[in-house]
Every structure is written in structure tokens, then in C-alpha cells.
Amino acid sequence: MSVETIVPSATGTSTPPAKETRRVDRVVIRFAGDSGDGMQLTGDRFTSETASFGNDLSTLPNFPAEIRAPAGTLPGVSSFQLHFADHDILTPGDSPDVLVAMNPAALKANLGDLPRGAEIIVNTDEFTRRALQKVGYAASPVEDGSLDGFRVHAVPLTSLTVQALAGSGLSRKEAERSKNMFALGLLSWMYHRPTEGTERFLAAKFARRPQIAAANVAAFRAGWNFGETTEDFAVSYEVAPAAHAFRPGVYRNISGNLALAYGLVAASRQAGLPLFLGSYPITPASDILHELSRHKAFGVRTFQAEDEIAGIGAALGAAFGGSLAVTTTSGPGVALKSETIGLAVSLELPLLVVDIQRGGPSTGLPTKTEQADLLQAMYGRNGEAPVPVVAPRTAGDCFDAALEAARIALTHRTPVFLLSDGYLANGSEPWRIPDIDELPDLHVPFATGPNHTLPDGTEVFWPYKRDPHTLARPWAVPGTPGLEHRIGGIEKQDGTGSISYDPANHDFMVRTRQAKIDSITVPDIQADDPDHARTLVLGWGSTYGPVTAAVRRLRAEGVPIAQAHLRHLNPFPRNLGTLLAAYDKIVIPEMNLGQLATLVRARYLVDAHSYNQVNGMPFKAEQLATALKEAIDG
């Protein structure tokens, strides 16, 4: 982080000197506290104001799986990390420059991530003997010298908030709940963030409770004024807008799940089809259900089913009825849906299976991220049941990935896996809103009449007579006169769709379904290789940001390294084998134990080296840069 000091102008003796302002190129801030302290809301508001200011940004929300974990305990700590800069960035940052710790648990849980010299703002009101003992502190770290390597600001956030709200009519307990807004106001002063948007947000959020709205606004302003007047904060910081990081256009801050939901709506409009979502709530996919339920005006129908199986069953029925059908879930739900996904393969109907991956196995780590469902998406069904797999690489890219998954499903009449993960789902970044004319045309024709002539001249409808290019069967909406046909999971006779137990027919149908997936047209993969490197780092999904940041660091040090990133995991790009063969070493970082590496080794017989992490958190750029440098030198 580079720093430029702006010297304050001289002032008269009757007024205090103006505070120093320093210009920095980037900052990483982490808000941390109990899950009931509003850290996610605080981080979200700071992010929104930062986005409106024009900085590039990336976020990492991190929260417990419990709805309300035990207060003051390490498992109950919730945090929100934001990295913002005056230039293009790709990750939420490796380590915070500033930590706001609302209690001892928040400090202890996050202290190990801080570099020496980082700023720590602690809410001293919560550093009571009981709270300290609960997390194993024998004495307050604010007073015992253990934080001497950091710039510590001891601020009684709770009592200052209560004082600011004296006369508001709120009880002390109610007033204390606004301490997160006091902290937000203080950080907004420190980093010259806009304030009007947050005040409008609070007024709207608590419109039915004007007393609470007024209290939160007052606490927010009090925090800002505290930063302006207290001697403890002698310096504020400016991070200029990222003027050269974005192509021209209209931008908004967006999370991965929100972008994915918007992509699904856009896909349905571009296809001219109603959108149907059959879903059962599951972390971290539930936000897609919540968002799509708000868009009935766009022909969206959402069905919250009683379980995962009912959700996908309803979605498959909607696909049969002519809708763009979607089911959303996470890894445990995919396991329950596997039989119906196999049925969709057999019926050859378009269906989007959106898997927001999380830590496993079983219920595992519901609020942590992982990439460990790739092999489940590829092979987690009985019989030969191939399914295309698409993976977005950033939060904003979830929009485009949803459109691409819909294109494949509709064009080839197949279920498609869309593999996002918790890191992308909950993280956010600036997103350029595309013009409508930039979106692909996804219209596909329904069958309207007979498509086959029998030897005796009779015209009939064959439900499994295929397009010679896409191998897609016709899509016949139920109720269309003359297009009645058999449907079900038993093997079908080629063309007619009648039940068939003929061995040769089964062999033909299995190979045809595989050939349909293999024939899907996907773009060639391109390597970013300006220095003609001998080592290629190959990624997929959400590893894009950390991998790219690591590659940039190595190149800045003069280390040649090439990078390529996969969006399509089944089928692979047709030129992938040729690309891999051009390099001496292939390194594949994954948040699993090497699932893509296994596929690449088996398919292309290359000695792909895995670099794996399964701790529920995304890779750090410095960590990857070190690993890649060792691979190059090894």
C-alpha cells in the first residue's frame, strides 16, 4: 500500500489545526463482532458507499452457520472484509490493514490475520472480565502490551452510542444495537466515504419504525463526528476512484447470487420463456430463491418446496411444460436431486441445476466455501448420465454464466450444472450493467407438428428424432394436438420414444446422449502468456481472482508464468489438450483435493500438479504466489 501525505494548511491560533489526510492506493478493512452485532450490514453499507464513490472493490463476508451463535464466543464471530482501491483488484485482500473488533472474541479470532503495524479499533466497553475469560484472555490485550506491534484505538463504542442517543426515547439495550452504525460513521470519516446513501438506506429500511431509523442515523452521524473531533484519530485517508479500472458504462455493486438471479431472469426474457424455480432453502443458495420471488412481473414463478427432491421434481415438470426451469441448491441437495437429474438426462429436457458449493461432506460447513462438488456434478448419478458443467469466475460473471448455462440447456435439451460457490455467492464487486442488445438470443422453437414420415406415407411425431447438428430432440409442449408421446425413465427406443429393452438400442442411446454433450460448442480456452513461460497455472471457478493476483505478483518480480482459466468443465474446450501440451509444467490450484487435476490427468495424460486448500476460505494471493514460485523453481 503506497501512501501520499497531504500536509494540512496553516490555521489561526483560535482553531485547532486541520487533521492530516493521507492518500493511499488501496485499503483492506475487516469489521468483526458477534453474529448479532450487524457486521454484515455494516460491511454491506460501507461497500455500497465505496462502490458509489467509484473504487474497485472485492468483499469477503464470513459468518457462523448458526442463526445466533453464543454471544461473545469464538464460534460466534461474524466478519466482513472489504478490499477497495484506486486500480483494478481481484481479491478481498490477504490481510486487513484495519480491524474493527466489537468484542474480545472478534479480536482474538482475527488477530492472527493482521500484519504488524495494522490499525485496530476495539470497542473497550465489551472488554469486561467475563468477556475476556470467555475467550481465554487472562488480561485485556489492550492493556497488557500484547498489541504493541499494532496501532490500537481504544474506543468505547457502546457507551458513546448510548450517549449520542440520549433523549431518543430508546432503552439502553435498544440504543446499544446502533453501535455498528457508530462504527460505520467513524470508518466513513476515516476513509472519506459518502454518507448520504447510508442515511437514505436507514430511513427506508426502518420506515415503519421512524424512532429506530432516527436513532441509527444519529449514531452514524455521531461516529463520523467523533472521528472529526477526537485527538485519537489524527489522520484520515483518501482512496481515489478507480478511474482506469472500468470500461465505460453504468455500474452497480453486485453479489454473486444477485448476479446469478438477474442472469436467470435475463435468460428467460431472451428465450421468450417463463422462468420457473423449484427450490428448497439451503445455505448459501437461498438468496437466489429470495431474489427471484420478487420478480413476478417478469414472468418468474418460484416454488419453495417441502424438500430438495420435490423442488427439482417440480422444476423438471415445468421444463416438460415449456418453461426455462431452474433448481437451486448446494452440495447436500445435489445428492438428493441426483435421481431426478438422471431422469432429466433420460427425458432430454432443459433444466438448470445451480449448485452454490459449500464445505462438506454431509452438512459440513454451511457458511464456508469449497470447490468439492465438481466430480459429483460430473459423475454423481447412476448409469451413463453426462451433464454439461459451467462455472463462473467472479461475482459479476455469475450473470454471464447463467446465460451460458441456459443457452446450452435450451439448445441441446439437457440438464446443465452451474457451479458457483459460497465465496462468489456472498462476495461482491462492481458490475457493468449490460445493454439489452449485448445479450444473446436464446429463442428455441417448440415442436408444432409431425416430424417423421412412415413407410406407408403416414406423418407422425417422433419425440426422439434429433437435430443432426445439436442432437437435441424436439421440445413438444403438452397439449399440442398430435404431439402426444410417451414420457418416463425407462429406456426409450431411438426416434419413437417407445419403451425398449433391446441391447443394441440401449448402447446406441447411451452413446448418443454422450455424443450430444461432446458436440456442444464452447469457446476455445486462451492462455495469458506474455513472456512465453514454461509453466501454466490452470484454474476454474472462483480461484480466478486469487490466481490472477498471484500471477501479477510473480510477473512484477520478473518471473514468467502463464495463466488459463476454465469456464466449461464438461465438455472441455476442444483446444485444451493442445494448450496443455505446450507447457512443461501444469499447476492446478483448487479448493478441493484435486478434482480438476484428476480429470485433466485422465483425459490428457499430462502431469498436472495439484495445489489444494480445503479450509473453508478462499486462497490468498501471496500464498498462491509462493506456491507457484516453488513449482517453477522445483
Side-chain angles (χ1 to χ4, degrees), residues 526-536 555 560-563 582-583:
Q526 303 295 325
D528 174 23
D529 185 8
D531 302 313
H532 305 290
R534 303 314 307 155
T535 299
L536 172 74
R555 289 177 181 170
I561 187 168
Q563 178 188 4
Y583 293 90

Side-chain angles (χ1 to χ4, degrees), residues 105-462:
L107 176 64
K108 188 167 189 177
N110 293 281
L111 189 59
D113 293 336
L114 299 182
R116 305 300 283 181
E119 289 195 80
I120 305 175
I121 300 172
V122 293
N123 179 16
T124 54
D125 286 326
E126 301 300 322
F127 278 63
T128 64
R129 178 178 297 180
R130 184 171 182 272
L132 291 165
Q133 291 176 345
K134 190 178 291 188
V135 295
Y137 280 129
S140 172
V142 180
E143 301 171 353
D144 67 5
S146 60
L147 300 181
D148 287 349
F150 305 97
R151 291 176 288 164
V152 180
H153 304 276
V155 183
L157 293 173
T158 304
S159 56
L160 287 173
T161 302
V162 172
Q163 292 174 20
L165 300 185
S168 65
L170 298 179
S171 68
R172 179 180 178 86
K173 185 175 182 180
E174 290 174 325
E176 288 178 355
R177 292 174 181 167
S178 297
K179 63 181 180 290
N180 63 323
M181 288 298 105
F182 189 100
L184 177 60
L186 173 58
L187 269 293
S188 297
W189 172 84
M190 283 183 65
Y191 291 98
H192 295 251
R193 298 297 91 185
T195 60
E196 296 81 3
T198 292
E199 294 191 11
R200 287 195 301 268
F201 168 83
L202 293 171
K205 180 176 178 64
F206 299 106
R208 296 184 180 181
R209 304 180 67 187
Q211 187 181 32
I212 300 297
N216 278 284
V217 171
F220 176 69
R221 291 175 177 173
W224 196 96
N225 291 328
F226 178 78
E228 179 72 8
T229 57
T230 184
E231 294 181 1
D232 192 38
F233 291 89
V235 178
S236 63
Y237 303 88
E238 286 185 356
V239 182
H244 303 293
F246 308 115
R247 54 186 285 208
V250 178
Y251 285 79
R252 59 157 295 166
N253 185 52
I254 201 165
S255 68
N257 273 352
L258 183 58
L260 204 156
Y262 286 174
L264 294 173
V265 175
S268 75
R269 303 295 286 185
Q270 293 302 106
L273 299 173
L275 177 64
F276 180 91
L277 173 67
S279 181
Y280 180 74
I282 184 171
T283 302
S286 298
D287 285 342
I288 303 172
L289 170 61
H290 300 160
E291 181 61 33
L292 289 179
S293 68
R294 301 171 182 168
H295 297 292
K296 296 180 178 64
F298 291 101
V300 179
R301 295 181 180 179
T302 54
F303 170 56
Q304 181 174 319
E306 66 269 28
D307 56 40
E308 296 281 3
I309 298 172
I312 190 173
L316 185 57
F320 181 55
S323 292
L324 176 58
V326 184
T327 188
T328 53
T329 189
S330 190
V334 173
L336 293 167
K337 295 177 188 291
S338 62
E339 183 179 7
T340 307
I341 297 171
L343 177 59
V345 172
S346 177
L347 300 182
E348 300 188 45
L349 287 171
L351 174 68
L352 301 187
V353 182
V354 178
D355 177 7
I356 312 299
Q357 300 168 93
R358 71 190 207 189
S362 188
T363 45
L365 303 172
T367 60
K368 308 302 180 184
T369 195
E370 208 163 270
Q371 287 184 300
D373 294 351
L374 176 56
L375 293 183
Q376 180 178 225
M378 288 286 291
Y379 303 120
R381 294 162 296 283
N382 65 293
E384 295 287 344
V387 173
V389 180
V390 176
R393 65 185 188 178
T394 67
D397 189 48
C398 289
F399 178 89
D400 295 316
L403 285 163
E404 174 65 358
R407 176 192 73 84
I408 294 172
L410 294 171
T411 302
H412 296 272
R413 312 291 195 274
T414 178
V416 176
F417 261 98
L418 180 56
L419 290 183
S420 179
D421 60 44
Y423 170 40
L424 295 184
N426 297 316
S428 61
E429 66 176 359
W431 174 64
R432 179 181 170 274
I433 302 173
D435 294 329
I436 293 178
D437 58 9
E438 297 176 24
L439 302 180
D441 182 358
L442 300 180
H443 285 85
V444 295
F446 289 119
T448 57
N451 62 357
H452 185 75
T453 303
L454 297 176
D456 63 1
T458 304
E459 293 187 338
V460 296
F461 175 67
W462 275 16

